[in-house]
């Protein structure tokens, strides 16, 4: 949405039942036919705008679209989301946020899209990103920390997504699955991808990509057994702008706490309390192989602790974790 369209929207949100095209045109120094074109664009974006030849235009329904116009008024943040770069369609918000960073975008810049043609997961996997229903966004961060601490940001984001969900959909019980999944009823409803550009002792930037399945009434065939949406779990529509703002608000609070503290201390308790893994048999897979055992929590550095059948405690910094049936740990 361009700046003038956003200003037309702002005027229509001003509380009047109707506002004439002439009045809008006068306030923005544009012609009545230009006003009409902006109204048409807003309707195309999902806003319910009625028109009457005598009275003008009236806003009757806002769009469930995570654009800056809808999200910004709901933010309580200082930096995160203060610039929102919204697109109807992109290949990947993470790819675009990385480009924005190289062009000098400020910390806290958020790239959001309604649809992704090449949404990505970890290790080159694909993130299904159909239009009109979900959240796909990337947050640019430039923390002044040791590169070894960067993976902790995925845990920070997981807690922030969990807290945002709890604020917006308190009736949907979600769990966090180390390191980067949010589950509802054992199925994945959100995923996090933390991509960083670092030097030996310095972090240039981190792009924190988050995908949440929100209002879909189904999931792609290949994901039937493993994924769900908030709509399927809770039976009703969720406001995408409200959910995005809630996640960004929580993310800034958690991120600031992490920087100030110099540790994960503040989030570990939340992570553990809502963990989908603790005390459960798991198989964790990473580059070095597969570890089977019982999940026993997270270390202060954010590593997963697995107790193997011979009683050893293995710490994992990264990997994919699968829950096993009760007898599966041995
Ligand atoms: C993730 O990877 O879970 C990270 C997903 C991050 C997506 C966001 S969207 C905005 C930003 N821009 C991007 O391009 N990416 C980020 P991983 O743990 O590797 O999980 C990927 C696996 O989840 C896939 O191999 C599928 O099995 C499954 N999957 C794919 N799409 C899904 C979806 N929409 N919902 C649930 N599961 C999905």
């Amino acid at each position: 949405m361009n700046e003038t369209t956003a200003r037309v929207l702002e005027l229509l949100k001003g509380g009047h039942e109707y506002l004439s095209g002439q009045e809008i045109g006068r306030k923005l120094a544009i012609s009545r036919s230009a006003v009409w074109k902006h109204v048409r664009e807003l309707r195309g974006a999902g806003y319910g705008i009625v028109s009457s030849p005598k009275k003008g235009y009236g806003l009757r329904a806002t769009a469930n679209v995570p654009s800056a116009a809808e999200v910004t008024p709901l933010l309580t943040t200082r930096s995160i989301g203060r610039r929102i770069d919204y697109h109807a369609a992109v290949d990947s918000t993470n790819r675009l946020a990385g480009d924005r960073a190289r062009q000098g975008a400020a910390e806290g810049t958020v790239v959001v899209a309604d649809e992704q043609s090449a949404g990505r997961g970890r290790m080159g996997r694909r993130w299904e990103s159909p239009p009109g229903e979900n959240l796909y966004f990337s947050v640019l961060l430039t923390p002044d920390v040791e590169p070894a601490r960067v993976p902790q940001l995925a845990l920070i984001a997981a807690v922030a997504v969990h807290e945002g969900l709890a604020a917006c959909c308190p009736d949907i019980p979600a769990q966090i699955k180390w390191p980067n999944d949010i589950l509802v009823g054992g199925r994945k409803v959100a995923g996090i991808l933390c991509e960083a550009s670092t030097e030996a002792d310095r972090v240039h930037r981190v792009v924190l990509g988050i995908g949440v399945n929100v209002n879909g009434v189904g999931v792609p065939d290949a994901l039937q057994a493993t994924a769900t949406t908030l709509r399927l779990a809770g039976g009703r529509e969720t406001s995408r702008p409200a959910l995005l703002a809630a996640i960004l608000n929580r993310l800034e609070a958690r991120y600031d706490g992490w920087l100030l503290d110099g540790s994960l201390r503040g989030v570990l308790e939340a992570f553990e309390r809502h963990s989908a893994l603790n005390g459960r048999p798991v198989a964790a897979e990473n580059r070095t192989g597969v570890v089977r055992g019982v999940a026993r929590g997270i270390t202060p550095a954010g590593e997963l602790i697995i107790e193997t059948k011979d009683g050893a405690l293995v710490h994992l910094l990264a990997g994919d974790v699968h829950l096993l049936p009760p007898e599966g740990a041995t």
Side-chain angles (χ1 to χ4, degrees):
M1 176 181 316
N2 78 24
E3 208 177 304
T4 315
T5 314
R7 292 183 65 197
V8 171
L9 177 60
E10 225 171 274
L11 289 173
L12 289 172
K13 281 186 170 179
H16 306 275
E17 200 190 352
Y18 283 97
L19 207 55
S20 72
Q22 195 174 13
E23 179 73 2
I24 298 172
R26 195 181 56 74
K27 288 197 157 127
L28 301 181
I30 56 175
S31 68
R32 280 166 63 180
S33 69
V35 171
W36 179 79
K37 280 186 192 140
H38 291 295
V39 166
R40 191 178 54 183
E41 195 181 319
L42 288 168
R43 284 178 174 149
Y47 289 89
I49 298 173
V50 293
S51 57
S52 141
K54 289 217 177 81
K55 298 180 191 163
Y57 302 106
L59 181 67
R60 297 294 177 268
T62 57
N64 192 348
V65 173
S67 60
E70 296 304 317
V71 177
T72 306
L74 306 174
L75 290 175
T76 56
T77 56
R78 175 186 35 78
S79 134
I80 293 184
R82 286 295 152 190
R83 187 189 156 120
I84 292 184
D85 194 358
Y86 173 79
H87 299 264
V90 296
D91 51 354
S92 154
T93 58
N94 261 42
R95 201 272 310 148
L96 189 55
D99 280 3
R100 290 281 186 272
R102 281 184 287 276
Q103 292 155 4
E107 178 169 61
T109 297
V110 173
V111 176
V112 195
D114 186 56
E115 176 181 14
Q116 296 184 118
S117 55
R120 55 197 196 212
R122 294 176 305 155
M123 290 170 283
R125 291 188 284 235
R126 186 179 159 77
W127 187 256
E128 298 296 336
S129 311
E133 52 195 46
N134 297 330
L135 283 177
Y136 316 111
F137 62 100
S138 300
V139 184
L140 173 63
L141 299 173
T142 53
D144 184 12
V145 299
E146 286 169 37
R149 290 188 62 205
V150 166
Q152 298 181 358
L153 282 168
L155 311 190
I156 299 273
V159 169
V161 172
H162 189 274
E163 290 175 336
L165 281 174
C168 272
C169 313
D171 53 328
I172 301 179
Q175 288 188 304
I176 305 173
K177 177 167 161 269
W178 185 93
N180 69 320
D181 292 351
I182 304 293
L183 308 181
V184 171
R187 289 161 195 258
K188 185 157 169 168
V189 80
I192 293 151
L193 174 66
C194 179
E195 295 182 308
S197 157
T198 61
E199 259 174 67
D201 61 348
R202 199 160 89 83
V203 176
H204 293 296
R205 64 170 176 276
V206 177
V207 174
L208 213 44
I210 300 176
V212 188
N213 299 332
V214 185
N215 289 321
V217 291
V219 294
D221 283 349
L223 302 176
Q224 288 294 337
T226 57
T228 190
T229 73
L230 296 176
R231 174 73 164 266
L232 286 171
R236 65 187 143 66
E237 193 166 333
T238 296
S239 159
R240 289 191 288 165
L243 180 58
L244 176 53
I247 294 172
L248 296 179
N249 290 339
R250 292 311 305 152
L251 182 62
E252 183 167 285
R254 291 302 190 178
Y255 177 63
D256 284 354
W258 178 74
L259 287 175
L260 206 66
D261 238 31
S263 83
L264 270 179
R265 202 169 41 182
V267 299
L268 281 180
E269 190 271 331
F271 202 97
E272 297 278 22
R273 186 152 34 100
H274 302 291
S275 167
L277 299 180
N278 280 355
R280 312 259 318 255
V282 297
E285 208 177 332
N286 67 12
R287 265 178 308 165
T288 56
V290 180
V291 182
R292 282 167 186 271
V294 175
R296 294 289 183 215
I298 313 281
T299 67
E303 298 153 318
L304 179 68
I305 305 167
I306 298 182
E307 183 180 351
T308 61
K309 73 170 191 284
D310 49 12
L313 295 178
V314 179
H315 293 184
L316 286 182
L317 185 57
D320 274 319
V321 182
H322 310 282
L323 283 160
L324 298 174
E327 69 283 4
T330 52

